[in-house]
Amino acid sequence: MRHAVTLLCLLVLAACARVPGPFEHDPSRDYYARPRTDKAEVAISPPRNMPPQMGQRVAATLAMELQSYGIVATVAPADAPIQVDGVMSTRDADLSIEVQVDWRVVGRPRTDEPATVKTRARPEDYAEQSERLISRMAQQAAPRVATLVGKPPNFIPRAPGQVAAGITIPYEFPSDPAADGTAAAAAAAAATGTTPTTAPVPTKPAEQQIKVLVAPVTGAPSDGNRQLYSGMRRALGSSKIVIVDGAGEDVFTVVGAVNLTPIDDRTGKLVVKWVLKDPAGKIVGDIEQSNPVPLAAARGSWAGFGDIVASAASEGVLELLEKAINRPR
């Protein structure tokens, strides 16, 4: 099954004589005029006081999220001009655990305010070091850490982490139908002066968690691959999809590929194709985005624009996921 998604923003850009916004051509971005950007700029250390394996995963996921802000990040130890470390602390918060990480740039005065990020989690998610929790912590920390290292976000926020900028995103706890029913019965009994009778209350089935692995995007010029990759992770993550970093027997996979074909010396045809595969590796369907674009624009930075493209395509991916899950076995 194929979904076609039109990139209206690309069409508008292609029709303009002067390319605006994030696609504006800047000579300083030309390869011959700028230093190589594949060297790590920031190294992220696993937060202290955090379980070692969890700390490594948080650092690695945060490094990936920072790519969307134009920051080439990696996990420490690594040779990078900026080293970032963190300290974790936890506290009870009603029925959840509040996980706080104070991120700092190594070497800066201790009087400087840290980038403090708080995340609420279920006790079982923290105990299991779940993918949902790791992804949420990294998404929340990314914009704060980007600002900490001198590269604050300069485009419209579209993901929970960007919107919250490190402020706690309320964790959604499902209501307990049995407890709700007992409370309602007790209130009714108190109002009428009768003794409540105990009756079985139907329980609501647990909401199914859909796990998706976003594979590295290929074929895009400049920083397009990592911007589209990060954009798709955030777009699906903001739709209550659990983003994971490895394949599994219950994990769907989204594969993105870009093809830019020159039409003339100024314009090219940009095609972005996303393929959804089920846990067995069978193709469920694909989404294709296609439009003419200025070549100079496509060869510039995709920061912000990658989010727009991925967000548009994610709607089709969600439709394919729904159909795959609901189709007869």
Side-chain angles (χ1 to χ4, degrees):
M1 180 176 294
R2 169 170 294 184
H3 287 250
V5 181
T6 303
L7 302 182
L8 297 179
C9 55
L10 283 177
L11 190 58
V12 171
L13 287 171
C16 295
R18 181 179 180 278
V19 183
F23 261 21
E24 182 173 1
H25 179 57
D26 180 357
S28 67
R29 294 185 183 277
D30 291 337
Y31 181 81
Y32 61 83
R34 72 180 192 272
R36 292 178 61 87
T37 58
D38 54 355
K39 184 177 180 180
E41 301 172 81
V42 178
I44 309 293
S45 295
R48 297 191 297 275
N49 303 333
M50 186 174 284
Q53 185 179 12
M54 182 179 182
Q56 286 287 339
R57 291 168 59 202
V58 168
T61 308
L62 175 56
M64 288 190 291
E65 291 292 337
L66 288 173
Q67 303 290 335
S68 63
Y69 299 99
I71 299 171
V72 182
T74 187
V75 178
D79 182 17
I82 300 176
Q83 303 281 330
V84 174
D85 64 9
V87 179
M88 185 197 77
S89 59
T90 61
R91 71 177 186 86
D92 292 335
D94 297 325
L95 299 177
S96 63
I97 294 176
E98 183 178 85
V99 182
Q100 176 176 320
V101 180
D102 295 321
W103 297 99
R104 292 182 181 274
V105 173
V106 177
R108 288 189 183 173
R110 300 298 297 178
T111 53
D112 287 1
E113 289 294 326
T116 299
V117 183
K118 299 178 181 179
T119 308
R120 292 184 63 189
R122 300 172 186 265
E124 57 268 32
D125 280 353
Y126 179 79
E128 296 171 3
Q129 303 174 19
S130 70
E131 294 285 356
R132 172 191 286 269
L133 175 58
I134 301 299
S135 179
R136 181 181 291 264
M137 292 176 67
Q139 286 183 352
Q140 287 182 260
R144 294 297 302 275
V145 173
T147 302
L148 188 69
V149 301
K151 288 192 174 182
N154 58 0
F155 48 88
I156 299 173
R158 292 178 175 272
Q162 291 173 271
V163 174
I167 301 172
T168 301
I169 298 176
Y171 200 97
E172 297 180 1
F173 290 93
S175 60
D176 184 347
D180 293 345
T182 302
T192 60
T194 60
T195 302
T197 57
T198 302
V201 179
T203 59
K204 182 179 178 180
E207 183 178 351
Q208 182 178 7
Q209 286 191 344
I210 304 173
K211 299 179 182 179
V212 173
L213 165 68
V214 179
V217 178
T218 59
S222 184
D223 60 351
N225 288 334
R226 71 169 182 259
Q227 297 290 355
L228 289 170
Y229 167 79
S230 297
M232 182 57 76
R233 282 174 61 94
R234 283 194 301 275
L236 293 177
S238 65
S239 301
K240 298 185 179 181
I241 300 297
V242 178
I243 304 301
V244 300
D245 297 324
E249 60 182 14
D250 58 347
V251 176
F252 289 83
T253 303
V254 175
V255 182
V258 181
N259 184 34
L260 179 63
T261 306
I263 297 174
D264 52 39
D265 59 346
R266 292 188 177 184
T267 309
K269 182 180 180 181
L270 180 66
V271 178
V272 183
K273 186 174 182 180
W274 305 91
V275 176
L276 177 67
K277 298 181 180 181
D278 66 15
K282 182 180 178 181
I283 294 177
V284 176
D286 63 75
I287 300 95
E288 187 171 291
Q289 302 165 286
S290 176
N291 269 119
V293 296
L295 290 174
R299 290 166 181 163
S301 176
W302 287 53
F305 180 72
D307 272 344
I308 297 173
V309 175
S311 179
S314 68
E315 297 178 8
V317 174
L318 291 172
E319 289 182 19
L320 291 174
L321 282 168
E322 183 178 0
K323 291 179 180 179
I325 291 170
N326 294 329
R327 69 186 176 189
R329 299 294 179 180

